[in-house]
Amino acid sequence: MARIAYILLCHKDPDTVIRRARQLTAAGDCMAIHFDARASRSDYRRIRAALDGDPNVSFVRRPVKCGWGEWSLVEATLRATAAALDAFPRATHVYMLSGDCMAIKSAQYAHRFLDDIDADFIESFDFFESDWIKTGIREERLIYRHFLNERRHKRLFYASLALQQALGLRRRIPADLDIRIGSQWWCLRRRTVERIIAMTQERRDVMRFFRTTWIPDETFFQTLVHHLVPEEEIRSRTLTFLMFSDYGMPVTFYNDHYNLLLSQDYLFARKISPEAHDLHERLGTLYAARDAAFQISNEGTSIYRFLTGRGRMGRRFAPRFWETESSLGRERELMIIACKKWHVAKRLVGRIRTTAGLPAVDYLFNEETTPLPDLGGIQKTLEKRTRHRRALMRMLFDWFGTDRLVICMDTASLDLMHDFFSDRSVTRLLEIECLYSDDFLSGHAKRIGLAGEQTDAEALDRLLPTIRNAINDEADLIRDAGFARHGRISETASVAANAAVLAEFLTIPEATALDLLQGGDLFD
């Protein structure tokens, strides 16, 4: 059975370190602690006094002074790893943690998970081809030497970089190294770690290279594992659940995130707020639990993006520079049917095609699989359709040989509506109001990735009001936009009332509109 040696790098909160060590070793695992040499010596003595008698806890004898982005973080990790290998010969895996990490699964679950998958878990993406680095310097991390800390000596750091660039002091990356990059939070098998330690002693050129790279904790282990372990034995992912905001800052978890964390397909989470005392207590108890059941739905990242996006509904409706002089055509008429229930709009559009004889296209800006003619490639992806929407619509008018065209749109596509209403053509909007049952909202949450098949009912119940409010907000924003020629039919209105609005929207006789709505199954 798997036995995990945890590597804990920390520099503060001695009480939290002591509590974390006791929680993780209570289930039979072990821990090697590296306490930053820059940190308080009194804090370090408190930790040693509390844990020195525990045979499942080891300490790095010569801790290093750590700095963000420096080689010192890799050095501290290597020393803690060596201490773990020496102290715990029965450990089968080495798991990298920080003081902000906490287990979100039981030890029993974690051991079974690692027993079932004989692999190393470490993000390992191509340094030059992937988009893992979002901001800041990229290849400069590697091809120039970095001796200063960017955070403590920002001006000198970039002055040194500029001087090396001016003097042409680029260096070669070791020829046999395929540089990889990824998260520093990994879980490796014992034999892999032993190979890494051996390589650090055999390849001095590799060590010299990484000692002067910038942020080597994101490349050192990732690169070495890629060279030492067959590709099929590497899972390019972390087992620690972490998310980053739009500003590159790690998302912090609080008391009300307990159920969300447990449903993620990870063993640990980072980072837990120090003020979330209830969450600390519940997660601390969880690790030693027996026969705990976990329903994995893994929708955490999707929920975060959805909820944070609710507060960022800025105006993005300015004319695009490539469309400033373009138009659908002054004599053309675009009729937009906006509805959150796609099947309702598609049903109505199908009847418009057959009964009213108008050309119509389903959700071409929302659904990749919407049937479209070959328009030279512009129709192939949603991104292309949206980016070149006016050109796409002009081509559709020409392909159908018409000046009147009906299309469907999701109610969330407000920026598209604004753009088409700003055109010189005649644009009409028909909004379809529907009733939304909890079953529909649950299905909608699963379709857009906010929930999975295993999401528990309690979590889904908490999410549904937010989704319902989001749909209502979309309708309010459409009405607040004040579009001209904007009509609305409703599931709760009479057929006659809806027919009058539909007739005006399509510019057809009311009798024809009644035929389109007859049967009573439009909203089924």
Side-chain angles (χ1 to χ4, degrees):
M1 176 180 283
R3 190 185 186 209
I4 306 170
Y6 291 105
I7 302 299
L8 182 63
L9 302 190
C10 49
H11 63 280
K12 61 180 181 179
D13 294 338
D15 292 334
T16 298
V17 173
I18 295 167
R19 185 164 55 249
R20 196 78 70 249
R22 287 174 174 166
Q23 289 167 348
L24 294 178
T25 58
D29 292 315
C30 43
M31 178 178 289
I33 298 175
H34 178 280
F35 198 77
D36 194 337
R38 294 184 190 276
S40 165
R41 291 297 89 192
S42 61
D43 286 349
Y44 180 62
R45 287 192 291 271
R46 281 181 60 191
I47 297 171
R48 291 298 300 258
L51 299 175
D52 259 343
D54 191 331
N56 289 327
V57 178
S58 176
F59 289 88
V60 174
R61 293 177 182 173
R62 292 186 300 112
V64 298
K65 294 180 179 179
C66 296
W68 185 87
E70 295 179 4
W71 168 256
S72 54
L73 285 175
V74 177
E75 182 69 28
T77 305
L78 288 171
R79 293 190 183 188
T81 300
L85 294 179
D86 289 342
F88 313 117
R90 294 175 56 200
T92 61
H93 294 76
V94 178
Y95 197 124
M96 175 79 171
L97 292 176
S98 77
D100 295 323
C101 297
M102 287 200 73
I104 56 174
K105 298 291 185 295
S106 65
Q108 187 181 54
Y109 181 98
H111 295 160
R112 189 183 303 118
F113 182 94
L114 296 176
D115 283 336
D116 290 344
I117 306 175
D118 185 22
D120 296 303
F121 293 86
I122 182 169
E123 286 188 347
S124 179
F125 304 107
D126 187 285
F127 184 91
F128 297 100
E129 298 298 327
S130 72
D131 62 347
W132 201 87
I133 299 174
K134 302 299 184 186
T135 59
I137 60 176
R138 191 181 181 90
E139 67 172 354
E140 292 85 355
R141 292 187 183 194
L142 306 175
I143 63 176
Y144 298 107
R145 295 171 177 84
H146 302 278
F147 302 99
L148 300 165
N149 186 289
E150 191 262 358
R151 289 190 172 180
R152 292 201 302 270
H153 309 288
K154 186 178 288 289
R155 291 180 62 185
L156 289 175
F157 178 91
Y158 287 105
S160 171
L161 177 59
L163 180 62
Q164 292 182 68
Q165 291 172 327
L167 298 177
L169 298 179
R170 292 172 59 113
R171 62 173 175 174
R172 292 179 181 271
I173 298 171
D176 62 339
L177 279 192
D178 177 18
I179 304 298
R180 315 293 283 188
I181 191 167
S183 168
Q184 68 186 104
W185 312 112
W186 41 254
C187 177
L188 303 177
R189 296 168 297 179
R190 184 186 187 94
R191 62 177 178 269
T192 301
V193 175
E194 290 173 339
R195 291 174 187 171
I196 291 173
I197 297 295
M199 188 172 180
T200 63
Q201 298 168 354
E202 297 164 3
R203 293 291 303 271
R204 297 300 178 185
D205 60 324
V206 172
M207 297 298 283
R208 284 194 300 272
F209 172 76
F210 277 108
R211 281 181 187 278
T212 51
T213 59
W214 180 235
I215 320 182
D217 53 303
E218 294 179 351
T219 54
F220 179 80
F221 291 98
Q222 295 77 2
T223 300
L224 267 58
V225 170
H226 178 70
H227 280 267
L228 295 171
V229 178
E231 194 73 32
E232 61 271 15
E233 295 181 21
I234 300 175
R235 300 294 183 269
S236 186
R237 56 161 296 191
T238 175
L239 293 180
T240 299
F241 179 56
L242 67 162
M243 298 188 294
F244 290 91
S245 70
D246 293 346
Y247 306 102
M249 301 300 293
V251 174
T252 301
F253 299 107
Y254 297 92
N255 290 333
D256 54 349
H257 289 130
Y258 178 78
N259 289 324
L260 172 73
L261 292 176
L262 265 58
S263 67
Q264 305 312 301
D265 188 20
Y266 297 86
L267 303 183
F268 280 75
R270 182 181 187 272
K271 64 189 215 176
I272 309 298
S273 169
E275 284 79 34
H277 302 298
D278 183 56
L279 183 59
H280 276 268
E281 183 177 347
R282 297 178 75 182
L283 292 179
T285 304
L286 174 70
Y287 193 70
R290 304 293 298 177
D291 301 322
F294 299 92
Q295 289 186 320
I296 306 301
S297 53
N298 215 34
E299 75 282 11
T301 303
S302 299
I303 289 178
Y304 175 75
R305 288 174 182 164
F306 171 73
L307 294 177
T308 53
R310 298 294 303 146
R312 305 205 178 105
M313 302 166 74
R315 295 183 66 84
R316 300 188 294 271
F317 316 125
R320 277 63 177 174
F321 72 90
W322 63 83
E323 294 184 332
T324 302
E325 299 303 324
S326 67
S327 171
L328 305 187
R330 193 180 298 275
E331 304 303 321
R332 284 175 168 168
E333 192 172 342
L334 178 64
M335 291 164 280
I336 301 171
I337 296 177
C339 184
K340 179 60 73 174
K341 286 189 175 181
W342 293 6
H343 61 281
V344 173
K346 289 179 180 180
R347 189 174 293 145
L348 178 59
V349 161
R351 296 176 184 179
I352 290 173
R353 288 194 196 99
T354 56
T355 303
L358 290 172
V361 183
D362 293 343
Y363 286 84
L364 71 167
F365 295 110
N366 306 106
E367 196 170 28
E368 194 97 51
T369 56
T370 297
L372 290 172
D374 185 355
L375 302 174
I378 195 174
Q379 82 290 346
K380 285 190 174 180
T381 66
L382 289 177
E383 181 185 6
K384 283 186 176 181
R385 296 176 200 172
T386 303
R387 188 190 314 144
H388 306 296
R389 49 189 166 273
R390 292 198 188 182
L392 174 68
M393 296 310 303
R394 287 198 305 273
M395 296 171 79
L396 284 174
F397 273 108
D398 291 340
W399 191 86
F400 282 111
T402 183
D403 287 332
R404 305 186 74 216
L405 180 63
V406 179
I407 64 172
C408 296
M409 243 181 232
D410 191 273
T411 53
S413 303
L414 186 62
D415 54 342
L416 294 176
M417 298 176 199
H418 272 280
D419 196 46
F420 286 127
F421 268 96
S422 67
D423 190 74
R424 290 196 295 267
S425 62
V426 176
T427 303
R428 302 179 186 277
L429 175 64
L430 177 69
E431 183 187 351
I432 303 180
E433 278 186 337
C434 298
L435 301 177
Y436 303 105
S437 67
D438 286 350
D439 285 343
F440 171 81
L441 294 178
S442 298
H444 178 67
K446 293 173 183 176
R447 283 190 293 275
I448 64 176
L450 294 178
E453 293 301 327
Q454 300 301 319
T455 302
D456 63 87
E458 183 182 352
L460 203 52
D461 287 344
R462 289 198 304 272
L463 187 60
L464 293 187
T466 303
I467 298 174
R468 191 184 300 278
N469 288 337
I471 294 174
N472 292 336
D473 288 345
E474 290 170 5
D476 287 340
L477 288 170
I478 290 174
R479 292 167 202 178
D480 291 343
F483 295 128
R485 300 176 293 277
H486 172 199
R488 192 162 55 249
I489 66 175
S490 172
E491 186 171 356
T492 58
S494 66
V495 173
N498 285 337
V501 176
L502 183 59
E504 183 179 355
F505 170 69
L506 296 173
T507 321
I508 59 175
E510 282 197 32
T512 306
L514 279 170
D515 288 341
L516 291 173
L517 297 175
Q518 288 299 339
D521 61 344
L522 177 65
F523 294 95
D524 284 354

